[in-house]
């Protein structure tokens, strides 16, 4: 069936879970944007700055599953996306970047073109470093197969991809992308791996399942919960995997944070003689402050299609097929399901008490206790450590790549993709980067509740470098700025004011609610305090 290249591309995106496109046009992308609007296959949402586009599309993919899509112009637009695409690469998010590009006759002109860098294909080379696959759709004959291959790569490898679309191509007649067969699976290798993995778990005295982002990216949370129940072993999540397997009837120990976290949980993870790391990134965010170095030789590591245990490495075994093979080998469930271990969360202080990150978490927990859980979009800073004190709920955050600027645009992407009203946790420094995207909330039909931890400082940096004189951010009156962007602002100094502001924010729909939470400098979340203490302790010689 023939139609134009853009329609074929949009159908292929939709068939792989995309439900919208976030974009900022430019002259090299105007034909593409015109064709997207005419096709009316996926709705187009615009934001104000490309980093916001990338974070919004990333969030849509994380919360909804399937592809997230950002459309940009060549050069100035696409290169503004480098940081969000790097974030998606590091955190395993299937984000699709659609970039306009010069038409064939412009390339042939021999002129230097506006927006180009060192050479016309500089942008292509930059995105080679940031993506799991990429293609230039400059020929309607090859475009269908390239679209299928690249979009399938994004999902199969859980990573960002790049499609460059010269501006003379969007309306060109083009066939439908083919259905490509999945890569061959070596069933014998899969069986051998599943048997060895189970044998190791059964021989252990303290097996433990530590789950990470791949469980969500490959949509296997339910299967993993069932496996944990059948294997009768406790579960913990990495920082990046927080929110996974909540309320799934497993023995859930919580989020492993090493020395910065719950001592009993830390002991259980670090003391395990068969730690099954299922889809967890072995990175500093997840393991830097381990109380004692985890001996990964006794661990079983399942990551990016590889299974490593002892000196054995099994390659090209997709995690979904491995979990299914394990389930086929463990058919029985224990006599009674585990119950979730209750987690201590901060108490709400007295109404006249000054604000602290722990009080903010306690007030947010009380709100969710009363009105139901809210999905949380969290930025980087002490807000991320504060989020560890929230009662378990869906949480998206750049927990490993650790970029600032994620929280607000991600909340917009989350609400567009799922229709759920998000709670945002963001610091003043990060808000100064992308918080202004709130000005697009009304047009996007979004009304997030934003908790802005305003300590007038890059406080997390100050904890590591107290004598730095550059961390002060000065007094910004964010509450006063909300109305100008179409929302409602609250200046909050005490716990009582916070509880009241949250009640008002929760009750009002249709416009964003910005709670400007005034924190005294140096007031940290309990988790960040432990984290800083742990880092200092671990960096001491001897
Ligand atoms: C895009 C970007 N720029 C710089 C940084 C470095 C950085 C941090 C990480 C360590 O890399 S934490 C931090 C300060 C954050 O300030 P704010 O949002 O006010 O939060 P808080 O006051 O709670 O620290 C910076 C600048 C970053 N992570 N991301
Ligand atoms: Mg700050």
């Amino acid at each position: 069936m023939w139609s134009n290249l853009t329609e074929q591309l949009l159908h292929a995106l939709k068939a792989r879970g995309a439900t919208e496109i976030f974009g900022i046009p430019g002259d090299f992308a105007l034909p593409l944007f015109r064709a997207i609007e005419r096709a009316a296959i996926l709705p187009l949402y615009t934001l104000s700055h490309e980093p916001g586009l990338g974070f919004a599309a990333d969030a849509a993919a994380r919360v909804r599953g399937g592809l997230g899509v950002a459309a940009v112009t060549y050069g100035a637009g696409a290169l503004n996306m480098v940081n969000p695409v790097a974030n998606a690469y590091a955190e395993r998010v299937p984000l699709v970047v659609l970039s306009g590009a010069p038409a064939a006759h412009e390339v042939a002109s021999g002129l230097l073109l506006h927006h180009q860098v060192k050479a016309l294909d500089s942008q292509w080379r930059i995105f080679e470093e940031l993506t799991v696959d990429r293609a230039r759709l400059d020929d309607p004959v090859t475009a269908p197969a390239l679209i299928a291959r690249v979009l399938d790569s994004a999902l199969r490898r859980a990573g960002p991809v790049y499609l460059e679309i010269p501006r003379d191509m969007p309306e060109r007649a083009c066939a439908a992308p083919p259905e490509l067969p999945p890569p061959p699976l070596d069933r014998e290798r899969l069986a051998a791996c599943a048997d060895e993995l189970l044998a190791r778990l059964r021989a252990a005295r303290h097996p433990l399942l530590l789950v990470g982002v791949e469980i969500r990216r490959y949509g296997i949370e339910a299967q993993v919960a069932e496996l944990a129940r059948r294997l009768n072993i406790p579960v913990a999540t990495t920082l990046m995997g927080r929110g996974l397997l909540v309320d799934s009837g497993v023995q859930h120990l919580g989020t492993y944070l090493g020395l910065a976290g719950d001592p009993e949980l830390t002991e259980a993870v670090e003391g395990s003689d068969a730690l099954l790391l299922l889809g967890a990134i072995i990175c500093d965010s997840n393991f830097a402050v381990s109380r004692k170095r985890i001996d990964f030789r006794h661990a079983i590591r399942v990551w990016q299609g590889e299974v490593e245990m002892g000196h054995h490495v099994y390659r090209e075994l997709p995690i979904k097929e491995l979990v299914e093979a394990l389930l086929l080998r463990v058919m029985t469930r224990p006599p009674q399901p585990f119950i979730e271990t209750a987690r201590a969360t901060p108490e709400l202080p007295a109404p006249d008490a000054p604000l602290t990150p722990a009080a903010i978490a306690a007030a947010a927990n009380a709100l969710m206790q009363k009105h139901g859980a809210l999905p949380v979009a969290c930025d980087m800073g002490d807000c991320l450590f504060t989020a560890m004190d929230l009662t378990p709920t869906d949480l998206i955050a750049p927990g490993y790549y650790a970029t600032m600027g994620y929280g607000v645009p991600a909340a917009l992407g989350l609400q567009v993709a799922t229709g759920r009203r998000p709670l945002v946790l963001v610091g003043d420094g990060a808000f100064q980067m992308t918080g202004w995207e709130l000005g697009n909330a009304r047009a996007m039909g979004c009304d997030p509740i934003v908790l802005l931890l305003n300590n007038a400082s890059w406080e997390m940096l100050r904890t590591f470098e107290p004598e730095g004189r550059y961390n002060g951010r000065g007094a910004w009156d964010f509450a006063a700025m909300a109305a100008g962007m179409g929302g409602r602002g609250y200046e909050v100094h005490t716990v009582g004011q916070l509880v009241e502001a949250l009640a008002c924010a929760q009750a009002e729909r249709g416009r964003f609610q910005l709670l400007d939470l005034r924190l005294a400098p140096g007031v940290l979340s309990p988790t960040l305090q432990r984290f800083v203490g742990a880092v200092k302790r671990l960096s001491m010689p001897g």
Side-chain angles (χ1 to χ4, degrees):
M1 203 267 278
W2 285 72
S3 62
N4 71 35
L5 181 141
T6 306
E7 288 166 352
Q8 300 293 14
L9 172 58
L10 295 174
H11 283 305
L13 288 165
K14 192 169 181 179
R16 292 165 178 81
T19 48
E20 68 290 306
I21 295 178
F22 298 96
I24 297 177
D27 61 330
F28 284 115
L30 288 178
L32 175 63
F33 277 67
R34 183 174 57 238
I36 290 171
E37 270 202 334
R38 280 185 184 157
I41 295 168
L42 287 175
L44 174 65
Y45 293 87
T46 55
L47 283 100
S48 302
H49 192 204
E50 285 85 358
L53 284 189
F55 293 139
D58 169 299
R62 288 188 199 215
V63 289
R64 184 230 307 120
L67 298 175
V69 188
V72 289
T73 190
Y74 177 74
L79 298 185
N80 249 346
M81 289 278 291
V82 166
N83 189 45
V85 178
N87 176 59
Y89 185 92
E91 307 228 346
R92 306 294 305 282
V93 180
L95 168 65
V96 181
V97 177
L98 306 179
S99 173
H105 69 275
E106 295 172 296
V107 172
S109 72
L111 294 174
L112 290 175
L113 301 179
H114 68 284
H115 288 337
Q116 83 164 67
V117 198
K118 198 181 283 185
L120 280 177
D121 66 350
S122 295
Q123 175 170 313
W124 171 269
R125 289 206 298 277
I126 288 165
F127 277 87
E128 268 182 322
E129 195 55 25
L130 302 171
T131 55
V132 297
D133 202 351
R134 68 214 63 80
R136 190 172 281 132
L137 305 183
D138 55 6
D139 174 349
V141 174
T142 59
L146 290 174
I147 289 170
R149 187 201 80 202
V150 171
L151 299 189
D152 287 349
S153 293
L155 291 175
R156 194 173 56 253
R157 297 175 59 188
V161 295
Y162 170 75
L163 288 175
E164 190 168 283
I165 307 162
R167 61 173 161 179
D168 54 346
M169 292 301 294
E171 310 270 2
R172 295 285 296 275
C174 182
E179 284 281 319
L180 300 178
L185 175 64
D186 184 329
R187 295 262 163 216
E188 212 175 296
R189 182 187 306 153
L190 179 64
C193 177
D195 291 340
E196 179 179 354
L197 193 154
L198 282 174
R200 284 173 181 265
L201 289 180
R202 285 173 172 146
R205 290 194 323 284
H206 306 291
L208 189 140
L209 179 54
L210 188 64
V211 297
V213 282
E214 284 193 345
I215 306 307
R216 183 168 284 136
R217 299 290 183 268
Y218 291 104
I220 53 174
E221 211 168 329
Q223 294 91 318
V224 172
E226 179 60 18
L227 182 65
R229 283 193 294 265
R230 292 189 193 177
L231 287 172
N232 213 353
I233 61 176
V235 173
T237 76
T238 59
L239 167 63
M240 287 182 61
R242 182 167 178 82
L244 281 169
L245 305 188
V246 165
D247 303 332
S248 58
V250 301
Q251 186 189 350
H252 202 308
L253 303 180
T255 302
Y256 170 69
L257 295 170
L259 284 168
D262 173 273
E264 269 180 52
L265 196 174
T266 298
E267 177 46 39
V269 170
E270 297 178 3
S272 170
D273 57 349
L275 184 63
L276 172 50
L277 292 145
L278 207 52
I281 298 180
I282 309 258
C283 64
D284 56 357
S285 304
N286 286 338
F287 296 98
V289 286
S290 294
R291 190 193 46 178
K292 63 185 185 202
R293 289 195 63 71
I294 294 180
D295 183 351
F296 287 113
R297 289 170 306 172
H298 294 303
I300 303 163
R301 295 157 49 165
V302 180
W303 176 248
Q304 285 194 315
E306 290 197 357
V307 181
E308 204 175 332
M309 38 191 155
H311 298 290
H312 300 171
V313 180
Y314 296 84
R315 291 194 168 73
E316 291 161 27
L317 289 183
I319 190 168
K320 188 180 174 97
E321 278 72 11
L322 175 66
V323 169
E324 282 163 4
L326 294 171
L327 283 170
L328 285 174
R329 287 163 172 75
V330 186
M331 294 305 285
T332 53
R333 259 205 206 178
Q336 77 285 339
F338 284 109
I339 46 168
E340 297 253 330
T341 45
R343 253 172 305 282
T345 53
E347 289 293 312
L348 192 62
D352 59 354
L355 285 182
T356 65
I360 292 165
N365 290 337
L367 181 83
M368 292 196 275
Q369 180 77 31
K370 190 171 175 190
H371 298 285
L374 293 169
V376 174
C378 191
D379 217 296
M380 181 64 206
D382 195 13
C383 56
L384 183 61
F385 296 89
T386 303
M388 298 299 111
D389 281 330
L390 292 177
T391 43
T393 181
D394 287 344
L395 169 69
I396 53 173
Y400 164 43
Y401 183 70
T403 180
M404 289 160 69
Y406 185 82
V408 165
L412 298 176
L414 184 157
Q415 188 162 6
V416 162
T418 65
R420 297 174 67 195
R421 187 183 205 184
L423 190 66
V424 184
L425 268 68
V426 58
D428 55 305
F431 190 92
Q432 289 166 15
M433 291 185 177
T434 59
W436 316 112
E437 294 293 357
L438 284 175
N440 295 300
R442 190 189 289 265
M444 298 170 79
C446 299
D447 57 352
I449 297 175
V450 181
L451 303 185
L452 199 167
L453 282 67
N454 184 0
N455 50 24
S457 155
W458 289 328
E459 196 58 28
M460 195 173 158
L461 297 187
R462 194 199 302 276
T463 58
F464 290 114
E465 200 70 57
E467 57 281 2
R469 293 191 307 278
Y470 42 74
N471 286 312
R473 293 274 73 230
W476 291 44
D477 186 348
F478 297 101
M481 300 176 199
M485 293 191 283
R488 179 173 176 185
Y490 307 75
E491 184 178 325
V492 179
H493 295 267
T494 67
V495 170
Q497 289 172 357
L498 171 57
V499 171
E500 207 178 309
L502 273 174
C504 293
Q506 191 278 333
E508 180 176 355
R509 296 304 308 257
R511 60 175 175 161
F512 72 81
Q513 307 286 309
L514 177 57
L515 281 67
D516 181 350
L517 307 176
R518 304 296 172 89
L519 292 163
V523 174
L524 303 179
S525 69
T527 304
L528 180 56
Q529 289 173 47
R530 290 192 296 267
F531 189 82
V532 172
V535 169
K536 285 180 177 159
R537 204 149 81 222
L538 292 170
S539 56
M540 303 266 244

